[in-house]
Amino acid sequence: MSSDVLPPNPCLVAILLVVKINAEPRIVFHYPPRPGKDNTHITRYLAAQEKEKDGSSSTDDDSSTSHDELVVDNDDPKESKTGVNTPELDVEDPASVSPEKNAMWDSQYGKTKWSDLFGLPSAGLARLLCPPPSSDKQKFEMSIDDKVFVGRPVFARDGDSWQKKKMERKAKAKSTATDDKPAEALAKATASEPTSGQDEHASTDALEHGSDHSEARKSRQPNSTAAHRGRSNKTGIELNTQAEQSKVSKDVLNMFHVVFVLNPPPLEYQLRVKEMYDHVVRKFSKALKWVQARSNYVLREASLLHKEAPLMKRALAEDKSLASLYHRYQSRSLLAKAISTLYNSISTSRIAHVNLTQSSSLSFQIPIPTSISVLPGPLSHQMPGLWLTTATSLPANDEVETTNSQLASQFTLLLLSDLPVILSEINDASSPLSAPLTHYLQVSKPTKSFLQISQSSGIPLRDIQFLASHLIYWRKARAIPPLHQRDTYIVSPNADMSRLVSATSKFTKAFPALPSLPKLLNLLSTPRAYSALIPSKDHKEAFMNILAWLLRDGWVTQLRTFAWVRVPPSIIKAVEGDADRSLESSSSIELAPPRTDTEKGPHGTLPAPPSPASSAASAHTAVPHRASQQPPSSLIQNPRQAAGVSSRYLSAISIHVLRRQGVEAQKAWERCLKYFD
């Protein structure tokens, strides 16, 4: 990792959802409620309601309903269908408000309009954030004052279609295969059915198995249709429901655009915009495009959010009612909930776990620095406590962001929290990787490399590398060189000594019968092998656990030894001599003088024989001999990337080893050469 590492700073101010329905651009949702202002009490209220929702859903399963029921049945704006005891809103249904009361609201809150965002009218800002169709799936970047609007607009095919032609043919084939009901009735019955989404961490697998998702949707359609009919017959609102669905079906989504508003420092502008677009904006836009093409997801959610827009105007003045209204949004719209979760996590440099539909989960994060190779200068950003090391866990020629890159087999995994805590989180997740991760964590040790763990446990090396990468992605572990008692560990110059008091109490609880943390750091201040601190063999395991604890929090670092290739003067002289001889042989033909017209033979002009003195002078002038002094030694710091004269030096050394020590020594030299960097 380079020395100019910057601390995490997402600079995220707000997220806007811009849609273009029936050729009319509009901003249907934004989060937080007051962009650019203090939203602390509102976010705390929403978090408290979310915890209450989780607690009530775990005790009373009958109180929660599906997303389809929220869309179809929730006609009362003051009634929550999520099983949460939501406080009564201080706003009224816009359809039931009299014109006199509307005028009172307008006069009372006319100075601060809800439609104003960042000092601009919402309608005008929506038009600015709606670029022409030529920018489809391209990076969008616009600056207004100190704000940067970053997005990736996605347009429909031919203005109204979101599916490829192949998918459209499949949809038509399914509609014609229904004999008992017309195609239009089937489409209306399944209009609000959520489909399987795409996990961004494994987006390729999800796209490859799109047929499986379609079969799952196909198997769910009859049940959802029957349930819909049952609810309509019981409530007696079948006509209203059909009219509402037909109205939604007539709307055409021409474009959607999720815009991230940033406020980056001037000197970090390019970096912050790039990392936000690469890691969050582009991936979230692709995920929305995927679900929109399969279930008209964005249009359905945008229509639902647009119906709630009149309530915003009357909820501006009172923060409590505004918080309640946003809680209502999150309980009714999965997309609003996803955008809120995305903002709350990314703005605090955490991993965002987002559910676009009830059967899909995605994760987004901006990678944070985990180590530095050089101490920051006095004018650079200071990050005390960050791991100081030059070890790289990837092969030398691999890139971090490539899909084929794997962790080096000679590395191992260091857990960043206690093993029981990680195991409980894995078991609570109940994912397909829970069992493999649990088995791997039970056999993993920071003193054994991935290759050694694979050989002892029987788990394939590629599986271990995949599971380790998964834990690193979720910030549960870090790849390090295996810990060894014969290695030298010292107190890290980048250790955060301001946390020494709190860390000492935690260390005493973890290792009560062993020396205190200040004493151990004092012993590690003098470079020595770590085995010198271990009193006996019985204490070896405990002291290795202490070393892992110290390394996890950045208190110590390994003092590493590097080896470079030093080219001796004899090899340099031999290589230069070979170059001189090859140059002389190639230039001997060029040194012959041109033919003259005065010298002719029986077959035309003949070259005049040069005199010995002139030939010697010409040769001496063209290729001057080097002085007899010894050339200086040369260092090759990276043999893998050696080229030109450095490559010839390495070849000459290999031949020299072969002549002096034999074939076995030459093979050993070539095998160890890649580590001399």
Side-chain angles (χ1 to χ4, degrees):
M1 188 171 292
S2 61
S3 60
D4 55 344
V5 178
L6 297 176
N9 184 16
C11 313
L12 185 59
V13 178
I15 301 178
L16 314 179
L17 176 59
V18 184
V19 297
K20 191 175 183 180
I21 300 178
N22 299 330
E24 179 186 354
R26 63 187 70 164
I27 299 177
V28 295
F29 183 74
H30 63 79
Y31 193 88
R34 298 175 180 267
K37 299 180 181 180
D38 186 15
N39 297 271
T40 305
H41 57 292
I42 299 179
T43 55
R44 287 177 180 175
Y45 173 82
L46 295 177
Q49 293 298 321
E50 185 65 23
K51 290 181 180 179
E52 184 180 350
K53 176 183 177 181
D54 295 338
S56 61
S57 61
S58 61
T59 56
D60 189 6
D61 295 335
D62 297 334
S63 61
S64 61
T65 57
S66 65
H67 181 55
D68 296 334
E69 294 171 344
L70 293 177
V71 174
V72 176
D73 295 337
N74 198 351
D75 294 330
D76 188 0
K78 296 184 180 181
E79 182 180 359
S80 175
K81 297 289 186 176
T82 60
V84 185
N85 189 15
T86 308
E88 185 176 353
L89 300 178
D90 295 335
V91 293
E92 301 182 64
D93 193 343
S96 61
V97 177
S98 62
E100 294 80 7
K101 200 164 188 178
N102 264 328
M104 180 190 69
W105 279 93
D106 293 340
S107 60
Q108 185 176 359
Y109 305 123
K111 295 182 180 180
T112 55
K113 296 181 179 180
W114 173 257
S115 58
D116 291 348
L117 292 174
F118 308 107
L120 298 173
S122 177
L125 184 59
R127 286 191 290 270
L128 290 176
L129 299 177
C130 187
S134 59
S135 60
D136 181 29
K137 301 177 184 177
Q138 302 295 325
K139 181 180 180 180
F140 175 88
E141 184 176 344
M142 180 183 69
S143 298
I144 299 179
D145 295 334
D146 58 343
K147 304 295 189 298
V148 184
F149 297 80
V150 183
R152 182 179 178 270
V154 182
F155 287 81
R157 297 174 179 271
D158 299 329
D160 56 355
S161 176
W162 289 92
Q163 294 182 345
K164 296 181 180 180
K165 294 183 178 180
K166 185 177 180 180
M167 297 178 62
E168 290 177 352
R169 287 196 297 267
K170 289 183 178 180
K172 291 180 180 179
K174 287 183 179 180
S175 62
T176 54
T178 57
D179 298 327
D180 53 342
K181 295 293 179 183
E184 294 182 0
L186 182 63
K188 292 179 182 179
T190 59
S192 61
E193 178 71 16
T195 60
S196 298
Q198 175 188 12
D199 190 336
E200 189 65 34
H201 193 52
S203 58
T204 305
D205 297 337
L207 292 176
E208 290 178 354
H209 297 81
S211 58
D212 299 336
H213 298 311
S214 63
E215 294 297 329
R217 292 196 305 271
K218 187 176 180 181
S219 63
R220 291 200 302 266
Q221 286 173 358
N223 296 332
S224 62
T225 306
H228 177 269
R229 291 170 181 168
R231 291 195 302 269
S232 300
N233 293 331
K234 291 180 181 179
T235 57
I237 57 171
E238 183 176 4
L239 297 176
N240 295 334
T241 303
Q242 291 180 354
E244 183 178 350
Q245 289 182 349
S246 62
K247 182 179 179 180
V248 173
S249 62
K250 292 180 180 179
D251 293 335
V252 176
L253 179 64
N254 309 112
M255 181 215 69
F256 70 85
H257 189 192
V258 182
V259 183
F260 290 69
V261 186
L262 311 179
N263 185 17
L267 297 180
E268 303 175 10
Y269 179 93
Q270 298 295 337
L271 174 65
R272 300 307 180 185
V273 171
K274 183 179 185 304
E275 65 183 10
M276 180 65 70
Y277 178 79
D278 292 343
H279 298 290
V280 182
V281 177
R282 180 172 58 184
K283 295 180 180 180
F284 190 63
S285 175
K286 287 182 178 180
L288 288 180
K289 168 65 170 63
W290 196 85
V291 293
Q292 168 63 22
R294 282 153 180 79
S295 63
N296 222 15
Y297 172 84
V298 179
L299 176 59
R300 189 172 66 246
E301 296 291 326
S303 300
L304 176 64
L305 292 171
H306 184 61
K307 293 177 183 178
E308 307 290 335
L311 300 178
M312 284 293 186
K313 184 178 180 181
R314 288 177 288 276
L316 177 62
E318 300 179 11
D319 292 338
K320 182 179 178 181
S321 74
L322 183 61
S324 302
L325 186 58
Y326 260 79
H327 173 68
R328 170 190 171 90
Y329 273 5
Q330 295 182 6
S331 62
R332 290 173 62 91
S333 172
L334 289 176
L335 183 55
K337 176 66 176 176
I339 293 177
S340 304
T341 303
L342 188 64
Y343 173 85
N344 292 330
S345 299
I346 297 299
S347 61
T348 54
S349 299
R350 294 183 288 114
I351 299 177
H353 191 73
V354 176
N355 293 321
L356 286 180
T357 64
Q358 294 179 343
S359 58
S360 68
S361 63
L362 302 89
S363 60
F364 305 91
Q365 67 164 313
I366 297 177
I368 61 176
T370 58
S371 65
I372 54 175
S373 58
V374 180
L375 281 174
L379 300 180
S380 302
H381 292 277
Q382 304 296 321
M383 290 178 287
L386 205 61
W387 186 31
L388 177 63
T389 183
T390 55
T392 173
S393 59
L394 294 174
N397 295 330
D398 285 353
E399 295 291 339
V400 177
E401 298 181 357
T402 57
T403 56
N404 296 327
S405 61
Q406 292 182 347
L407 297 172
S409 60
Q410 69 270 17
F411 272 65
T412 189
L413 212 59
L414 177 66
L415 300 181
L416 299 181
S417 58
D418 296 336
L419 179 60
V421 176
I422 298 179
L423 290 178
S424 63
E425 292 178 358
I426 292 175
N427 294 330
D428 294 341
S430 300
S431 67
L433 289 178
S434 298
L437 283 172
T438 302
H439 178 53
Y440 165 67
L441 289 175
Q442 291 174 348
V443 300
S444 176
K445 293 182 178 180
T447 57
K448 293 184 179 181
S449 64
F450 296 137
L451 182 60
Q452 292 173 336
I453 296 174
S454 175
Q455 294 172 351
S456 60
S457 63
I459 305 176
L461 179 60
R462 294 180 63 88
D463 294 349
I464 290 179
Q465 292 170 330
F466 173 78
L467 295 174
S469 301
H470 181 80
L471 292 171
I472 293 174
Y473 174 83
W474 288 101
R475 303 178 186 177
K476 301 299 181 183
R478 184 170 63 216
I480 63 169
L483 304 180
H484 202 278
Q485 60 180 355
R486 289 197 296 268
D487 290 336
T488 303
Y489 298 91
I490 61 173
V491 178
S492 175
N494 199 44
D496 189 5
M497 291 300 174
S498 62
R499 299 187 295 110
L500 183 59
V501 177
S502 60
T504 300
S505 60
K506 295 179 181 178
F507 182 86
T508 304
K509 292 180 181 179
F511 309 100
L514 295 173
S516 63
L517 178 59
K519 185 176 181 180
L520 280 174
L521 295 179
N522 184 28
L523 295 174
L524 290 170
S525 298
T526 303
R528 69 183 78 178
Y530 189 71
S531 58
L533 278 66
I534 304 177
S536 63
K537 293 183 179 179
D538 298 335
H539 295 81
K540 178 180 178 181
E541 183 177 357
F543 270 78
M544 296 307 293
N545 293 335
I546 290 176
L547 180 60
W549 191 93
L550 295 174
L551 194 65
R552 181 179 68 186
D553 292 339
W555 292 105
V556 300
T557 187
Q558 182 182 357
L559 190 63
R560 309 183 71 201
T561 303
F562 295 90
W564 291 338
V565 177
R566 174 182 173 273
V567 183
S570 58
I571 297 296
I572 296 177
K573 188 175 181 180
V575 172
E576 290 180 350
D578 292 342
D580 290 344
R581 284 190 294 271
S582 62
L583 186 59
E584 288 179 359
S585 60
S586 62
S587 62
S588 59
I589 301 176
E590 300 177 0
L591 293 177
R595 298 178 180 179
T596 60
D597 296 337
T598 56
E599 299 178 3
K600 294 184 180 181
H603 300 285
T605 59
L606 295 176
S611 62
S614 62
S615 297
S618 300
H620 181 74
T621 302
V623 185
H625 294 288
R626 298 186 181 272
S628 60
Q629 61 181 2
Q630 291 287 342
S633 301
S634 177
L635 290 178
I636 301 178
Q637 299 182 4
N638 195 346
R640 292 191 179 190
Q641 299 179 359
V645 65
S646 299
S647 178
R648 292 197 295 269
Y649 288 160
L650 295 177
S651 300
I653 293 175
S654 179
I655 296 174
H656 177 77
V657 173
L658 174 63
R659 293 176 179 176
R660 293 295 182 89
Q661 302 181 14
V663 179
E664 295 297 331
Q666 185 190 33
K667 292 181 180 179
W669 161 260
E670 294 178 352
R671 186 167 57 252
C672 298
L673 184 62
K674 59 184 178 180
Y675 299 107
F676 298 152
D677 57 354

